[in-house]
Amino acid sequence: MSDHPLRLAVIVGSVRDGRIGPIVAGWFARVAAGRDDIQVDLIDLAEMPIGSASPTMSPPPEALAGLRELTPRLAAAGAYVVVTPEYNHSYPAALKNAIDWHDVQFHAKPVAFVSYGGISGGLRAVEHLRAVFTELHAVTTRDIVSFHHVWEQFDADGNPKDPQRPAAAAEALLDQVTWWARALHDARTTSPYRFATTTR
Ligand SMILES: Cc1cc2nc3c(=O)[nH]c(=O)nc-3n(C[C@H](O)[C@H](O)[C@H](O)COP(=O)(O)O)c2cc1C
């Protein structure tokens, strides 16, 4: 392990019963954890429910417990990989709600995507998420990892049946994420990122 591994939050964006999200995210987290420059924090939004209330200055009781766990873990990360399915050409409502409770945690940090779904492999969900993370002053990476017809892609052990291409795509994505994380960390250290969101 390198002296200063990147703390990478891998966020499981689907929370529904019967979801495949943890299988996709688990595979990706294992690939990332295999690198000596990355320390993975696997964040499953289903394990820290924050309800469906919208963000407020004082979070309601049903959101408090989940936010107490989620917020510090997001803040501690130097980069993020959001693992998202596609629901009706976009991403899950629970993921949006989790994002909306936060802001500065994402400022000037890289966000990458592992997407999955039916015929489009979740690509439309990713395009929507890019716009959201730009609003949060994050930098999204060009490359993504994508699984179309995801329910056909993984074996009983939770690994891709055809491992070569996804593994290569994951490594390429992680190379970009670590590059951006280093560059943005150095930039934040030299000159703190203090740009407020002024136009909404
Ligand atoms: C409400 C709903 C809407 C969906 N809409 C799409 C869609 O627009 N495009 C697509 O490719 N797949 C769509 N799917 C298929 C999902 O991407 C697929 O079932 C995936 O496994 C869902 O992720 P999850 O199992 O982790 O929740 C939809 C699934 C659900 C439940």
Side-chain angles (χ1 to χ4, degrees):
M1 182 67 74
S2 80
D3 286 347
H4 301 288
L6 167 65
R7 190 175 167 112
L8 178 71
V10 177
I11 301 169
V12 186
S14 75
V15 299
R16 72 183 182 105
D17 287 345
R19 66 205 168 126
I20 200 170
I23 292 175
V24 182
W27 162 77
F28 182 80
R30 288 194 296 280
V31 175
R35 294 172 60 121
D36 72 355
D37 57 350
I38 290 176
Q39 184 191 342
V40 174
D41 181 20
L42 185 59
I43 296 179
D44 185 348
L45 296 180
E47 289 175 2
M48 45 199 88
I50 55 176
S52 58
S54 293
T56 48
M57 292 301 282
S58 306
E62 67 266 27
L64 263 182
L67 288 171
R68 268 196 206 113
E69 183 169 353
L70 177 59
T71 302
R73 287 168 70 177
L74 292 179
Y80 309 86
V81 171
V82 177
V83 181
T84 184
E86 183 167 304
Y87 294 164
N88 295 324
H89 290 202
S90 194
Y91 53 89
L95 175 58
K96 182 64 159 63
N97 200 32
I99 294 168
D100 286 349
W101 278 97
H102 300 91
D103 180 27
V104 293
Q105 293 81 6
F106 293 109
H107 281 199
K109 294 180 186 173
V111 179
F113 304 100
V114 174
S115 72
Y116 57 93
I119 195 152
S120 75
L123 300 182
R124 292 168 290 210
V126 169
E127 291 312 311
H128 287 183
L129 281 165
R130 285 189 193 285
V132 172
F133 279 108
T134 298
E135 179 65 7
L136 297 180
H137 300 254
V139 176
T140 62
T141 66
R142 186 265 181 202
D143 280 23
I144 66 169
V145 179
S146 161
F147 294 95
H148 67 280
H149 295 147
V150 64
W151 46 87
E152 298 171 358
Q153 303 283 354
F154 286 82
D155 65 20
D157 295 324
N159 294 311
K161 290 179 187 165
D162 180 11
Q164 231 166 353
R165 272 177 35 179
E171 290 295 345
L173 177 144
L174 289 167
D175 286 344
Q176 289 180 20
V177 169
T178 51
W179 189 94
W180 275 108
R182 263 196 313 274
L184 292 170
H185 175 268
D186 290 352
R188 292 195 307 272
T189 306
T190 310
S191 173
Y193 191 87
R194 290 204 183 101
F195 298 95
T197 299
T198 51
T199 50
R200 282 200 154 156

